[in-house]
Structure formats: C-alpha cells, structure tokens
Amino acid sequence: MKRILFKCTFAAYKNKKFMEMLDWKNLPFGYVKTDFNIRCHYRNGKWGKLEVSSSEYIDIHIAATGLHYGQEAFEGLKAYMGKDGKIRLFRWDENAKRLVLSAEGVKMAPVPVELFREALIQVIKLNKKFVPPYGSGASLYVRPLLYGSGAEVGVKPSSEYTFIVFVTPVGPYFKGGIKPVNMLICRDVDRAAPLGTGIFKVGGNYAASLRALVAGKEGGYASTIFLDAKEKKYIDECGPANFFGIKDNIYITPESESILNSITNMSLIEIAKSLGMKTERRKVPVEELSTFIETGACGTAAVISPIGKIVDPEKNMIYEYCKDGNPGKETMKLYNKLVGIQYGDEADEFGWMTVVE
Ligand SMILES: Cc1ncc(COP(=O)(O)O)c(C=O)c1O
C-alpha cells in the first residue's frame, strides 16, 4: 500500500515538474510529445473502433500507398483554454468536411464526420494537461492524418486506410505580439495546377511548395505568394495560408480552383460582414496589390499574419503596407474578434466553438 502511494505521489510530482518545465509562452510551432494519440483502421470496407496509443511511432507496410503514391491527407485545427477553464475546439466540423473532400480527391476511404469528432474529443481529453493555460497565447494544435496503409505495387487506391489524430501544444505564433511580415512573389514554382489537387489538403501539395518556400525563407521572407499556375496573373495563396486585401471597407480574397479553402478565411469573411464591411471572393490580379490599404495571410497557425511588404523581383515591384511597423486597424479588428471568440472571451455568436467535455 505504502509503495503504491509512493509511486502515485512520485508520478504526480514528475508530472507537475514536467508541466512546470513547459514554457507555454515560448513554445515553438513545433512538435512536443504528449501522452496519447488515437488511431483507427479501415479494413474490409469498414472503419474499426478508435484505439488509444501512447507510441509516437507507426508500423507501416513497406508497400503502403501512402508512402509511394501520395495517398495521404491531413488537417490542422486548434483547441483553446478559456478563462473559465473550459477547452474549446474551433470549427472542427469544417475540418471534418475538408478531410472528406481531400480523401475523395485522392481516392481514399473518407473518415465519417462522427468518427472524426469522437477521435478529436477523445484525444484532447486524454491530453488535457497539454492544453496551454489561458493568457499564454498558446493553444493545443490537433493534427488528424489519413493515409493509404494497404500494400499495392501498381498505381491504384489502397483497400486499407489508417486514420490518426495526435495533438501537440504550440506557442503563440507571434512571440512579441502580432507583427507585419514580408512576402515574396514566386513565379518559377507552382504549388498546384488549376485542375490538380490544390483544393485538397494532401501532402503532395506541400512537397511541391517546399522549393519555393525554402528559397523565400533563405531570402529572409516569412512566406512565398503563389500565383495562378496557368496565367501567372492572379494571386493564389501565401504558402500555407490564404491571402486577403482590404480597401474601401471591403475584404477581398482570391477565388481560385487551386487553393485550399481556409477555415480561418471563411470565418474572417463572416466577421468582416458582421463588422459592417463588404466582402468579395474573386480573382485578384497582382497589380491590384498597389491599391490595398492592408493585406494579410490567414490560417490556423497565425490566425492573421499582416503583410508589411510584398516583393515581386521579376517585375521589379515592391508593395508596401503597415509603413509605421504596426498591423493595420481593420486587420486588428478582425484578428481580435476571431481570437476573442476562440479563447471564449467574446460571445460565440456564429456557433463556431465546441466545448470539449
Ligand atoms: C495551403 C494552405 N492554405 C491555407 C491554409 C489555411 O487554412 P486554415 O485556415 O483552414 O488553417 C492552410 C492551412 O491549413 C494551408 O495549408
């Protein structure tokens, strides 16, 4: 009895020490090991039961289609600790729908929405201690992943799939507060083709973007702006984030058949409308950059990265915003409202948050 009590006290002590060691405010947007992940297998035409695993590794068949033929898709969303001690998950149903779309896009078995929800809730509850405290600016990043796990040698869809959800605490994207970043227009690499897989969140698109992103980073840019692959006339998106520009009280964001439909962008459009702005989703010619008062990139990781400067080396153009070094007024209104809803500080007037209980 004494021994058990000692063991439990020691485990609790170790746990407390570990959690104290996590410097929530300075966590990177990177991987931190948590206690559990959730897995589920699709075999013989149906999904099995959710399984809890404490391993960070997967055993994968050497001929799995996920490894060879890019049958892989993923999602990314966040859970937030509120001042009231409640954990809130942001618009998981949109991520569930997008994963279905991506699965169908590369001929994988889609994960049913209810299974997706159960896996998310379970994995967050199991790793509750890793949800960063309110006020740290950090959050729990949730990464659902789906891949073809059956063995094939010819190019064809797998008959087996694996669905995994893991979580990792991530720090505030902007450590010293939200700051404008610089971006580079890329004309020599295409992330996705117009009738290709750009609208799906599949790994291949990210592999295709890496040459440009790395070159941009090496040049000191936060990200690369991809243009439409066919004509190189219109803005597509900003690396792993959608683009928006603001002028004349209008929030304008590109319409394109090769970009990912950002859930953050969808939400900002709704917020912009509720704040009395007009919104337009349409083609955005590169030259229009000179007419915007504010521009930004939006996505789950940063919510909004205000853009300070866009450089187009081949056209010898530089577009500048935020000349005083601070994000624009409209950008901040949109950012504060969305972050307020996510942390539970603002009323959830759009019904976007799910309390994890
Ligand atoms: C290519 C790409 N575009 C846009 C986004 C932003 O989407 P969301 O707001 O759903 O995170 C992401 C991130 O998921 C992305 O990878």
Side-chain angles (χ1 to χ4, degrees):
M1 181 68 190
K2 251 187 177 169
R3 236 178 107 162
I4 294 174
L5 199 65
F6 172 76
K7 263 189 163 169
C8 289
T9 318
F10 184 64
Y13 170 78
K14 251 180 45 185
N15 195 11
K16 186 163 176 277
K17 278 284 151 218
F18 173 73
M19 300 316 285
E20 279 168 5
M21 266 161 50
L22 279 180
D23 179 3
W24 301 111
K25 285 193 174 131
N26 290 307
L27 276 178
F29 191 82
Y31 180 79
V32 171
K33 184 183 184 311
T34 58
D35 287 344
F36 302 103
N37 55 77
I38 299 283
R39 298 158 185 223
C40 191
H41 300 283
Y42 178 92
R43 292 184 187 118
N44 303 316
K46 56 178 194 298
W47 286 100
K49 289 207 164 22
L50 296 179
E51 296 162 18
V52 177
S53 170
S54 58
S55 168
E56 293 170 280
Y57 294 90
I58 46 178
D59 214 8
I60 186 163
H61 195 286
I62 52 175
T65 61
L67 293 179
H68 299 261
Y69 302 129
Q71 267 205 306
E72 185 273 351
F74 64 101
E75 272 305 326
L77 64 162
K78 283 178 175 173
Y80 305 82
M81 178 67 78
K83 204 191 259 175
D84 55 7
K86 290 186 179 157
I87 301 169
R88 292 176 177 80
L89 188 57
F90 181 66
R91 303 195 81 172
W92 66 269
D93 48 328
E94 290 298 336
N95 294 89
K97 283 192 254 171
R98 197 167 65 184
L99 186 61
V100 169
L101 184 81
S102 301
E104 287 167 349
V106 291
K107 292 299 201 189
M108 296 195 286
V111 177
V113 171
E114 187 48 32
L115 187 77
F116 184 91
R117 189 193 70 84
E118 266 177 48
L120 261 58
I121 301 290
Q122 206 172 323
V123 76
I124 294 169
K125 279 176 149 174
L126 285 167
N127 293 292
K128 202 171 165 195
K129 68 181 193 206
F130 293 95
V131 183
Y134 174 81
S136 62
S139 51
L140 188 74
Y141 184 73
V142 183
R143 169 55 64 89
L145 168 73
L146 172 69
Y147 59 89
S149 41
E152 296 294 345
V153 174
V155 182
K156 62 176 173 183
S158 173
S159 56
E160 295 185 1
Y161 294 90
T162 299
F163 172 54
I164 297 177
V165 188
F166 71 81
V167 294
T168 189
V170 290
Y173 199 82
F174 293 101
K175 301 281 182 291
I178 172 169
K179 282 205 195 78
V181 298
N182 296 338
M183 302 214 175
L184 179 69
I185 292 187
C186 169
R187 291 176 183 274
D188 55 0
V189 175
D190 292 322
R191 171 189 166 271
L195 298 175
T197 56
I199 55 166
F200 310 125
K201 199 164 168 67
V202 296
N205 296 338
Y206 296 82
S209 72
L210 283 177
R211 272 180 302 150
L213 288 182
V214 170
K217 286 258 152 69
E218 284 171 359
Y221 296 93
S223 191
T224 301
I225 298 186
F226 291 102
L227 304 182
D228 77 284
K230 200 167 171 184
E231 296 185 86
K232 300 276 184 219
K233 266 184 157 165
Y234 305 101
I235 308 269
D236 245 2
E237 55 183 332
C238 309
N242 277 184
F243 172 87
F244 68 83
I246 298 174
K247 63 178 171 188
D248 308 326
N249 201 34
I250 316 174
Y251 177 99
I252 300 159
T253 192
E255 179 168 73
S256 162
E257 54 195 334
S258 51
I259 65 174
L260 192 76
N261 194 8
S262 154
I263 296 160
T264 313
N265 198 8
M266 269 186 226
S267 312
L268 291 173
I269 291 171
E270 290 306 308
I271 291 175
K273 283 184 191 157
S274 79
L275 295 176
M277 293 173 86
K278 291 200 184 108
T279 65
E280 291 176 6
R281 198 191 271 276
R282 58 163 168 82
K283 289 191 171 186
V284 178
V286 180
E287 313 79 68
E288 196 176 350
L289 287 176
S290 64
T291 67
F292 291 124
I293 308 301
E294 299 176 30
T295 58
C298 59
T300 296
V303 179
I304 294 180
S305 300
I307 304 178
K309 202 193 280 180
I310 299 176
V311 179
D312 188 348
E314 280 163 62
K315 300 279 170 191
N316 208 14
M317 287 294 291
I318 298 180
Y319 305 93
E320 282 193 80
Y321 314 92
C322 314
K323 287 196 182 139
D324 62 356
N326 297 312
K329 258 197 353 238
E330 302 305 321
T331 299
M332 283 316 292
K333 273 196 232 162
L334 295 167
Y335 176 87
N336 288 333
K337 180 83 184 180
L338 183 49
V339 172
I341 292 174
Q342 289 172 329
Y343 281 99
D345 294 334
E346 295 252 358
D348 180 19
E349 62 189 88
F350 304 98
W352 289 337
M353 306 308 294
T354 299
V355 174
V356 177
E357 38 192 16

